[in-house]
Coordinates of all heavy atoms in Angstrom, one line a residue:
M1 N 0.8 -1.2 0.0 CA 0.0 0.0 0.0 C 0.9 1.2 0.0 O 1.9 1.3 0.7 CB -0.9 0.0 1.2 CG -2.0 1.0 1.2 SD -3.1 0.9 2.7 CE -4.2 -0.3 2.1
L2 N 0.6 2.2 -0.8 CA 1.4 3.4 -1.0 C 1.5 4.2 0.3 O 2.6 4.7 0.6 CB 0.7 4.3 -2.1 CG 1.4 5.6 -2.4 CD1 2.8 5.3 -2.9 CD2 0.6 6.4 -3.4
S3 N 0.5 4.3 1.1 CA 0.6 5.1 2.3 C 1.5 4.5 3.3 O 2.2 5.1 4.1 CB -0.8 5.3 2.9 OG -1.4 4.1 3.1
M4 N 1.5 3.1 3.4 CA 2.4 2.4 4.3 C 3.9 2.6 3.8 O 4.8 2.8 4.7 CB 2.1 0.9 4.4 CG 0.7 0.7 5.0 SD 0.5 1.5 6.6 CE 1.6 0.6 7.6
K5 N 4.1 2.7 2.6 CA 5.5 2.9 2.0 C 5.9 4.3 2.4 O 7.1 4.5 2.9 CB 5.5 2.7 0.5 CG 6.8 3.0 -0.1 CD 7.9 2.0 0.3 CE 9.2 2.3 -0.5 NZ 10.4 1.8 0.2
V6 N 5.1 5.3 2.3 CA 5.4 6.7 2.6 C 5.6 6.8 4.1 O 6.6 7.4 4.5 CB 4.2 7.6 2.2 CG1 4.4 9.0 2.8 CG2 4.1 7.7 0.7
L7 N 4.8 6.1 4.9 CA 5.0 6.1 6.4 C 6.3 5.4 6.8 O 7.1 5.9 7.6 CB 3.9 5.4 7.1 CG 2.7 6.3 7.5 CD1 1.6 5.4 8.1 CD2 3.2 7.3 8.5
Q8 N 6.6 4.3 6.1 CA 7.8 3.6 6.4 C 9.1 4.4 6.2 O 10.0 4.4 7.0 CB 7.9 2.3 5.6 CG 9.1 1.4 5.8 CD 9.1 0.2 4.9 OE1 8.3 0.1 4.0 NE2 10.0 -0.7 5.1
D9 N 9.1 5.2 5.1 CA 10.2 6.0 4.8 C 10.3 7.4 5.5 O 11.4 8.0 5.6 CB 10.3 6.2 3.2 CG 10.5 4.9 2.5 OD1 10.9 3.9 3.1 OD2 10.1 4.9 1.3
N10 N 9.2 7.9 5.9 CA 9.1 9.3 6.4 C 8.2 9.5 7.6 O 7.6 10.5 7.8 CB 8.6 10.2 5.3 CG 9.4 10.2 4.0 OD1 10.5 10.7 4.0 ND2 8.9 9.5 3.0
K11 N 8.1 8.5 8.5 CA 7.2 8.6 9.6 C 7.4 9.8 10.5 O 6.4 10.3 11.0 CB 7.3 7.3 10.4 CG 6.2 7.2 11.4 CD 6.1 5.8 12.0 CE 4.9 5.7 12.9 NZ 4.6 4.4 13.4
E12 N 8.6 10.2 10.7 CA 8.9 11.3 11.5 C 8.3 12.7 11.0 O 8.1 13.6 11.8 CB 10.4 11.5 11.8 CG 11.2 12.0 10.5 CD 11.5 10.9 9.5 OE1 11.2 9.7 9.7 OE2 11.9 11.3 8.4
K13 N 7.9 12.7 9.8 CA 7.3 13.9 9.2 C 5.8 14.0 9.4 O 5.2 15.1 9.1 CB 7.7 14.0 7.7 CG 9.1 14.2 7.5 CD 9.5 14.3 6.0 CE 11.0 14.4 5.9 NZ 11.3 14.6 4.5
F14 N 5.2 13.0 9.9 CA 3.7 12.9 10.0 C 3.3 12.9 11.5 O 4.0 12.5 12.3 CB 3.2 11.7 9.3 CG 3.4 11.7 7.8 CD1 4.4 11.0 7.2 CD2 2.6 12.5 7.0 CE1 4.7 11.0 5.9 CE2 2.9 12.6 5.6 CZ 3.9 11.8 5.1
G15 N 2.0 13.4 11.7 CA 1.5 13.5 13.0 C 0.0 13.2 12.9 O -0.6 12.6 12.0
V16 N -0.7 13.8 13.9 CA -2.2 13.6 14.0 C -3.0 14.7 13.4 O -4.2 14.7 13.4 CB -2.6 13.4 15.5 CG1 -2.0 12.1 16.1 CG2 -2.2 14.6 16.3
D17 N -2.3 15.7 12.7 CA -3.0 16.8 12.1 C -3.1 16.6 10.6 O -2.1 16.5 9.9 CB -2.2 18.1 12.4 CG -3.0 19.3 11.8 OD1 -2.7 19.6 10.7 OD2 -3.8 19.9 12.6
F18 N -4.3 16.5 10.1 CA -4.6 16.2 8.7 C -3.9 17.2 7.7 O -3.2 16.9 6.8 CB -6.1 16.1 8.4 CG -6.4 16.0 7.0 CD1 -6.3 14.7 6.3 CD2 -6.9 17.0 6.2 CE1 -6.7 14.6 5.0 CE2 -7.3 16.9 4.9 CZ -7.1 15.7 4.3
T19 N -4.1 18.5 8.0 CA -3.5 19.6 7.2 C -2.0 19.5 7.1 O -1.4 19.7 6.0 CB -4.0 20.9 7.7 OG1 -5.4 20.9 7.8 CG2 -3.6 22.0 6.8
K20 N -1.4 19.3 8.3 CA 0.1 19.2 8.3 C 0.6 17.9 7.5 O 1.6 18.0 6.9 CB 0.6 19.2 9.7 CG 0.4 20.5 10.4 CD 1.0 20.5 11.8 CE 0.8 21.9 12.5 NZ 1.2 21.9 13.8
N21 N -0.2 16.9 7.6 CA 0.1 15.7 6.9 C 0.0 15.9 5.3 O 0.8 15.4 4.6 CB -0.7 14.5 7.3 CG -0.4 14.0 8.7 OD1 0.7 14.3 9.2 ND2 -1.2 13.2 9.3
K22 N -1.0 16.6 4.9 CA -1.1 17.0 3.5 C 0.1 17.8 3.0 O 0.7 17.5 2.0 CB -2.4 17.8 3.2 CG -3.6 17.0 3.0 CD -4.8 17.7 2.5 CE -4.8 19.1 2.3 NZ -6.1 19.7 1.9
Q23 N 0.5 18.7 3.9 CA 1.7 19.5 3.6 C 3.0 18.7 3.5 O 3.8 18.8 2.6 CB 1.9 20.7 4.6 CG 3.0 21.6 4.2 CD 2.9 22.3 2.9 OE1 1.8 22.8 2.6 NE2 3.9 22.3 2.1
A24 N 3.1 17.7 4.4 CA 4.2 16.8 4.4 C 4.3 16.0 3.2 O 5.3 15.8 2.6 CB 4.2 15.9 5.7
L25 N 3.1 15.5 2.7 CA 3.0 14.8 1.5 C 3.5 15.7 0.3 O 4.2 15.2 -0.6 CB 1.6 14.3 1.2 CG 1.2 13.0 1.9 CD1 -0.3 12.8 1.7 CD2 2.0 11.9 1.4
N26 N 3.1 17.0 0.3 CA 3.6 17.9 -0.7 C 5.1 18.0 -0.7 O 5.7 18.1 -1.8 CB 3.0 19.3 -0.6 CG 1.5 19.3 -1.0 OD1 1.1 18.5 -1.9 ND2 0.8 20.3 -0.5
D27 N 5.7 18.0 0.5 CA 7.1 18.2 0.6 C 7.9 17.0 0.1 O 9.0 17.1 -0.4 CB 7.5 18.5 2.1 CG 6.9 19.8 2.5 OD1 6.5 20.7 1.7 OD2 6.8 20.0 3.8
I28 N 7.4 15.8 0.3 CA 8.1 14.6 0.0 C 7.7 13.9 -1.3 O 8.4 13.0 -1.7 CB 8.0 13.5 1.2 CG1 6.6 13.1 1.4 CG2 8.6 14.1 2.4 CD1 6.5 11.9 2.3
S29 N 6.6 14.3 -1.9 CA 6.2 13.7 -3.1 C 5.6 14.7 -4.1 O 5.4 15.9 -3.8 CB 5.2 12.6 -2.8 OG 4.0 13.2 -2.3
K30 N 5.3 14.2 -5.3 CA 4.7 15.1 -6.3 C 3.4 14.4 -6.7 O 3.2 13.8 -7.8 CB 5.6 15.2 -7.5 CG 6.9 16.0 -7.2 CD 7.7 16.1 -8.4 CE 9.0 16.8 -8.0 NZ 9.9 17.0 -9.1
I31 N 2.4 14.5 -5.8 CA 1.1 14.0 -6.1 C 0.2 15.1 -6.6 O 0.0 16.1 -5.9 CB 0.5 13.4 -4.8 CG1 1.3 12.2 -4.2 CG2 -0.9 12.8 -5.1 CD1 0.9 11.7 -2.9
T32 N -0.2 14.9 -7.9 CA -1.0 16.0 -8.5 C -2.5 15.8 -8.3 O -3.2 16.8 -8.4 CB -0.7 16.1 -10.0 OG1 -1.0 14.8 -10.6 CG2 0.7 16.4 -10.3
S33 N -2.9 14.6 -8.0 CA -4.3 14.4 -7.7 C -4.7 14.8 -6.3 O -4.2 14.3 -5.3 CB -4.6 12.9 -7.9 OG -5.9 12.6 -7.4
K34 N -5.6 15.8 -6.2 CA -6.1 16.3 -4.9 C -6.8 15.2 -4.1 O -6.6 15.0 -2.9 CB -7.0 17.5 -5.1 CG -7.5 18.1 -3.8 CD -8.4 19.3 -4.1 CE -8.8 19.9 -2.8 NZ -9.7 21.1 -3.0
T35 N -7.6 14.4 -4.8 CA -8.3 13.3 -4.2 C -7.3 12.3 -3.6 O -7.5 11.8 -2.5 CB -9.3 12.6 -5.2 OG1 -10.1 13.6 -5.8 CG2 -10.1 11.5 -4.6
L36 N -6.3 11.9 -4.4 CA -5.4 10.9 -3.9 C -4.6 11.4 -2.7 O -4.4 10.7 -1.7 CB -4.4 10.5 -5.0 CG -3.3 9.5 -4.7 CD1 -4.0 8.2 -4.1 CD2 -2.4 9.2 -5.8
K37 N -4.2 12.7 -2.8 CA -3.4 13.3 -1.7 C -4.3 13.3 -0.4 O -3.8 13.0 0.6 CB -3.0 14.7 -2.1 CG -2.0 15.3 -1.1 CD -1.7 16.8 -1.5 CE -1.5 17.0 -2.9 NZ -1.2 18.4 -3.3
N38 N -5.5 13.7 -0.5 CA -6.4 13.7 0.6 C -6.6 12.3 1.2 O -6.7 12.2 2.4 CB -7.7 14.4 0.3 CG -7.6 15.9 0.1 OD1 -6.7 16.5 0.5 ND2 -8.6 16.5 -0.5
K39 N -6.8 11.3 0.3 CA -7.0 10.0 0.8 C -5.7 9.5 1.6 O -5.8 8.9 2.6 CB -7.3 9.0 -0.3 CG -8.8 9.2 -0.8 CD -9.1 8.2 -1.9 CE -10.6 8.4 -2.3 NZ -10.9 7.4 -3.3
L40 N -4.6 9.7 1.0 CA -3.3 9.3 1.6 C -3.1 10.0 3.0 O -2.8 9.4 4.0 CB -2.1 9.6 0.7 CG -1.9 8.7 -0.4 CD1 -0.8 9.2 -1.4 CD2 -1.6 7.3 0.1
A41 N -3.3 11.4 3.0 CA -3.2 12.1 4.2 C -4.2 11.7 5.3 O -3.9 11.6 6.4 CB -3.3 13.6 3.9
G42 N -5.4 11.4 4.8 CA -6.4 10.9 5.8 C -6.1 9.6 6.3 O -6.2 9.3 7.5
Y43 N -5.6 8.7 5.5 CA -5.2 7.3 6.0 C -4.1 7.4 7.0 O -4.1 6.8 8.0 CB -4.9 6.4 4.8 CG -4.5 5.0 5.3 CD1 -5.5 4.1 5.7 CD2 -3.2 4.7 5.5 CE1 -5.2 2.9 6.1 CE2 -2.9 3.4 5.9 CZ -3.9 2.5 6.3 OH -3.5 1.3 6.8
I44 N -3.1 8.2 6.6 CA -1.9 8.4 7.5 C -2.3 9.0 8.8 O -1.9 8.5 9.9 CB -0.8 9.2 6.7 CG1 -0.2 8.4 5.6 CG2 0.3 9.7 7.7 CD1 0.7 9.2 4.7
T45 N -3.1 10.0 8.8 CA -3.6 10.6 10.0 C -4.3 9.6 10.9 O -4.1 9.5 12.1 CB -4.5 11.8 9.7 OG1 -3.8 12.7 8.8 CG2 -5.0 12.5 10.9
K46 N -5.3 8.9 10.3 CA -6.0 7.9 11.0 C -5.1 6.8 11.6 O -5.2 6.4 12.8 CB -7.1 7.2 10.1 CG -8.0 6.3 10.8 CD -9.0 5.7 9.9 CE -9.9 4.7 10.5 NZ -11.0 4.2 9.6
F47 N -4.1 6.3 10.8 CA -3.2 5.3 11.3 C -2.4 5.8 12.5 O -2.3 5.1 13.5 CB -2.3 4.9 10.1 CG -1.3 3.9 10.5 CD1 -1.6 2.5 10.4 CD2 0.0 4.2 10.9 CE1 -0.7 1.5 10.7 CE2 0.9 3.2 11.2 CZ 0.5 1.9 11.1
I48 N -1.9 7.0 12.4 CA -1.1 7.5 13.5 C -1.9 7.8 14.7 O -1.5 7.5 15.9 CB -0.3 8.8 13.1 CG1 0.8 8.4 12.0 CG2 0.3 9.5 14.2 CD1 1.5 9.5 11.4
K49 N -3.1 8.3 14.6 CA -4.0 8.5 15.7 C -4.3 7.2 16.4 O -4.3 7.1 17.6 CB -5.3 9.2 15.3 CG -5.2 10.6 15.1 CD -6.6 11.2 14.7 CE -6.5 12.7 14.5 NZ -7.8 13.3 14.2
N50 N -4.6 6.1 15.6 CA -4.9 4.8 16.2 C -3.7 4.2 16.9 O -3.8 3.6 18.0 CB -5.4 3.8 15.1 CG -6.8 4.2 14.7 OD1 -7.6 4.8 15.4 ND2 -7.2 3.7 13.5
E51 N -2.5 4.4 16.3 CA -1.3 4.0 16.9 C -1.1 4.7 18.2 O -0.7 4.1 19.2 CB -0.1 4.2 16.0 CG 1.2 3.6 16.3 CD 2.2 3.8 15.2 OE1 2.6 5.0 15.0 OE2 2.6 2.9 14.6
F52 N -1.3 6.0 18.3 CA -1.1 6.8 19.5 C -2.1 6.3 20.6 O -1.7 6.2 21.7 CB -1.3 8.3 19.1 CG -1.0 9.2 20.2 CD1 0.2 9.4 20.7 CD2 -2.1 10.0 20.8 CE1 0.5 10.2 21.8 CE2 -1.8 10.8 21.8 CZ -0.5 11.0 22.3
K53 N -3.4 6.1 20.2 CA -4.4 5.7 21.1 C -4.0 4.3 21.7 O -4.2 4.0 22.9 CB -5.8 5.6 20.5 CG -6.4 6.9 20.2 CD -7.7 6.8 19.6 CE -8.3 8.1 19.2 NZ -9.6 8.0 18.4
A54 N -3.5 3.4 20.9 CA -3.1 2.1 21.3 C -1.9 2.2 22.3 O -1.9 1.4 23.3 CB -2.7 1.2 20.1
K55 N -1.0 3.1 22.1 CA 0.1 3.3 23.0 C -0.4 3.8 24.4 O 0.1 3.4 25.4 CB 1.2 4.2 22.5 CG 2.0 3.6 21.4 CD 3.0 4.6 20.8 CE 3.8 4.0 19.7 NZ 4.8 4.9 19.2
I56 N -1.3 4.7 24.4 CA -1.9 5.3 25.6 C -2.6 4.2 26.4 O -2.5 4.0 27.6 CB -2.8 6.4 25.3 CG1 -2.0 7.6 24.8 CG2 -3.7 6.8 26.5 CD1 -2.9 8.8 24.3
E57 N -3.4 3.4 25.7 CA -4.2 2.3 26.3 C -3.2 1.3 26.9 O -3.4 0.8 28.0 CB -5.1 1.6 25.4 CG -6.3 2.4 25.0 CD -7.2 2.8 26.2 OE1 -7.4 1.9 27.1 OE2 -7.6 4.0 26.3
K58 N -2.1 0.9 26.2 CA -1.2 0.0 26.7 C -0.5 0.6 28.0 O -0.3 -0.2 28.9 CB -0.1 -0.3 25.6 CG 0.9 -1.3 26.1 CD 1.9 -1.6 24.9 CE 2.9 -2.6 25.4 NZ 3.9 -2.9 24.3
A59 N -0.1 1.8 28.0 CA 0.5 2.5 29.1 C -0.5 2.5 30.3 O 0.0 2.2 31.5 CB 0.9 3.9 28.8
K60 N -1.7 2.7 30.1 CA -2.7 2.7 31.2 C -2.8 1.2 31.8 O -2.9 1.1 33.0 CB -4.1 3.1 30.7 CG -4.2 4.6 30.4 CD -5.6 4.9 29.9 CE -5.8 6.4 29.7 NZ -7.1 6.7 29.1
R61 N -2.9 0.2 30.9 CA -2.9 -1.2 31.4 C -1.7 -1.5 32.2 O -1.8 -2.1 33.2 CB -3.1 -2.1 30.2 CG -4.5 -2.2 29.6 CD -4.7 -3.4 28.7 NE -3.6 -3.5 27.7 CZ -3.6 -3.0 26.5 NH1 -4.7 -2.2 26.2 NH2 -2.7 -3.2 25.7
I62 N -0.5 -1.1 31.7 CA 0.7 -1.4 32.4 C 0.7 -0.7 33.8 O 1.1 -1.3 34.8 CB 1.9 -1.0 31.6 CG1 2.1 -2.0 30.4 CG2 3.2 -1.0 32.4 CD1 3.1 -1.5 29.4
A63 N 0.3 0.6 33.8 CA 0.3 1.3 35.0 C -0.7 0.7 36.0 O -0.4 0.7 37.2 CB -0.1 2.8 34.8
S64 N -1.8 0.2 35.6 CA -2.8 -0.4 36.5 C -2.3 -1.7 37.0 O -2.8 -2.1 38.1 CB -4.1 -0.5 35.8 OG -4.1 -1.5 34.8
T65 N -1.4 -2.4 36.4 CA -0.9 -3.7 36.9 C 0.4 -3.6 37.6 O 0.9 -4.6 38.0 CB -0.8 -4.7 35.7 OG1 0.2 -4.2 34.8 CG2 -2.1 -4.9 35.0
K66 N 0.9 -2.4 37.8 CA 2.2 -2.2 38.4 C 2.1 -2.3 39.9 O 3.2 -2.2 40.6 CB 2.9 -0.9 38.0 CG 3.3 -0.8 36.6 CD 4.5 -1.7 36.4 CE 5.0 -1.6 35.0 NZ 6.2 -2.4 34.7
E67 N 1.0 -2.4 40.5 CA 0.8 -2.5 41.9 C 0.9 -3.9 42.3 O 0.2 -4.8 41.8 CB -0.5 -1.9 42.4 CG -0.6 -1.7 43.8 CD -1.9 -1.0 44.2 OE1 -1.9 0.2 44.1 OE2 -2.9 -1.7 44.5
V68 N 1.9 -4.3 43.1 CA 2.1 -5.7 43.6 C 2.1 -5.8 45.1 O 2.3 -4.8 45.8 CB 3.4 -6.2 43.0 CG1 3.4 -6.3 41.5 CG2 4.6 -5.4 43.5
E69 N 1.9 -7.0 45.5 CA 2.0 -7.2 47.0 C 3.4 -7.6 47.3 O 4.0 -8.4 46.7 CB 1.0 -8.4 47.3 CG -0.4 -8.0 47.3 CD -0.9 -7.1 48.4 OE1 -0.3 -7.2 49.5 OE2 -1.7 -6.3 48.2
L70 N 4.0 -7.0 48.3 CA 5.3 -7.3 48.8 C 5.2 -7.4 50.3 O 5.0 -6.4 51.0 CB 6.3 -6.2 48.4 CG 7.7 -6.5 48.8 CD1 8.3 -7.7 48.1 CD2 8.6 -5.2 48.6
D71 N 5.4 -8.7 50.8 CA 5.3 -8.9 52.3 C 4.0 -8.3 52.9 O 4.1 -7.7 54.0 CB 6.5 -8.4 53.0 CG 7.8 -9.1 52.6 OD1 7.8 -10.3 52.2 OD2 8.8 -8.4 52.6
G72 N 2.9 -8.5 52.2 CA 1.6 -8.0 52.8 C 1.4 -6.5 52.6 O 0.4 -6.0 53.0
K73 N 2.4 -5.8 52.0 CA 2.2 -4.4 51.8 C 2.1 -4.1 50.3 O 2.7 -4.8 49.5 CB 3.5 -3.7 52.3 CG 3.7 -3.9 53.8 CD 5.0 -3.2 54.2 CE 5.4 -3.7 55.6 NZ 6.8 -3.6 55.8
K74 N 1.4 -3.1 50.0 CA 1.3 -2.8 48.6 C 2.5 -1.9 48.2 O 2.9 -1.0 48.9 CB 0.0 -2.0 48.3 CG -1.2 -2.9 48.3 CD -2.4 -2.2 47.8 CE -3.6 -3.1 47.8 NZ -4.8 -2.5 47.3
L75 N 3.1 -2.2 47.0 CA 4.2 -1.5 46.6 C 3.9 -1.0 45.2 O 3.6 -1.8 44.3 CB 5.5 -2.4 46.5 CG 6.7 -1.8 45.9 CD1 7.2 -0.7 46.7 CD2 7.8 -2.9 45.8
D76 N 4.1 0.3 45.0 CA 3.9 0.8 43.7 C 5.2 0.7 42.9 O 6.1 1.4 43.2 CB 3.4 2.3 43.8 CG 3.1 2.9 42.4 OD1 3.1 2.2 41.4 OD2 2.9 4.1 42.4
T77 N 5.2 -0.1 41.9 CA 6.5 -0.4 41.2 C 6.8 0.7 40.2 O 7.9 0.6 39.6 CB 6.5 -1.8 40.6 OG1 5.4 -1.8 39.6 CG2 6.4 -2.9 41.6
V78 N 5.9 1.6 40.0 CA 6.2 2.7 39.1 C 7.3 3.6 39.7 O 8.2 4.0 39.0 CB 4.9 3.5 38.7 CG1 5.3 4.8 37.9 CG2 3.9 2.7 38.0
G79 N 7.2 3.9 41.0 CA 8.2 4.6 41.7 C 9.3 3.7 42.1 O 9.1 2.5 42.2
D80 N 10.5 4.2 42.4 CA 11.6 3.4 42.8 C 11.7 3.2 44.3 O 12.7 2.5 44.7 CB 12.9 4.0 42.2 CG 12.9 3.9 40.7 OD1 12.4 2.9 40.1 OD2 13.5 4.8 40.1
T81 N 10.8 3.8 45.1 CA 11.0 3.7 46.5 C 10.1 2.7 47.1 O 9.0 2.5 46.6 CB 10.7 5.1 47.1 OG1 9.3 5.4 46.8 CG2 11.6 6.1 46.6
Q82 N 10.6 2.0 48.1 CA 9.7 1.0 48.8 C 9.0 1.7 50.0 O 9.5 2.7 50.5 CB 10.6 -0.1 49.4 CG 11.2 -1.0 48.3 CD 11.9 -2.2 48.8 OE1 11.8 -2.4 50.0 NE2 12.5 -3.0 48.0
P83 N 7.9 1.2 50.4 CA 7.2 1.8 51.5 C 8.0 1.7 52.8 O 8.7 0.7 53.0 CB 5.9 1.0 51.5 CG 6.2 -0.3 50.9 CD 7.2 0.0 49.9
T84 N 7.9 2.7 53.6 CA 8.6 2.7 54.8 C 7.6 2.3 55.9 O 6.4 2.6 55.9 CB 9.1 4.1 55.2 OG1 8.0 5.0 55.2 CG2 10.2 4.5 54.2
E85 N 8.1 1.6 56.9 CA 7.2 1.1 58.0 C 7.1 2.3 59.0 O 8.1 3.0 59.3 CB 7.8 -0.1 58.7 CG 7.8 -1.3 57.8 CD 8.2 -2.5 58.6 OE1 8.0 -2.6 59.8 OE2 8.8 -3.4 57.9
A86 N 5.9 2.4 59.5 CA 5.7 3.5 60.6 C 6.2 2.9 61.9 O 6.0 1.8 62.3 CB 4.2 3.8 60.7
S87 N 7.0 3.8 62.6 CA 7.6 3.4 63.9 C 6.5 3.5 64.9 O 5.8 4.5 65.0 CB 8.8 4.2 64.2 OG 8.5 5.6 64.1
S88 N 6.5 2.6 65.9 CA 5.5 2.6 66.9 C 6.0 3.3 68.2 O 7.0 3.1 68.7 CB 5.0 1.2 67.3 OG 4.6 0.6 66.1

């Protein structure tokens, strides 16, 4: 697919903004068909947005499972510090 080839070679030039993606396509290619350019920019934009959403969901799942039990105490493994015991 043409849009995947463009993304593979120039992914750093694209983002979640359709208009900027159309401009990036203008900069890296000579597509004279407005319809084709819009379809490519739309597909690239949708692909990057979905990829971004998937990364956010994955990070949320990882963060929610980072809480573990350690000797009967909850330890948040996102931080590097262990819980301190309260002195009596």
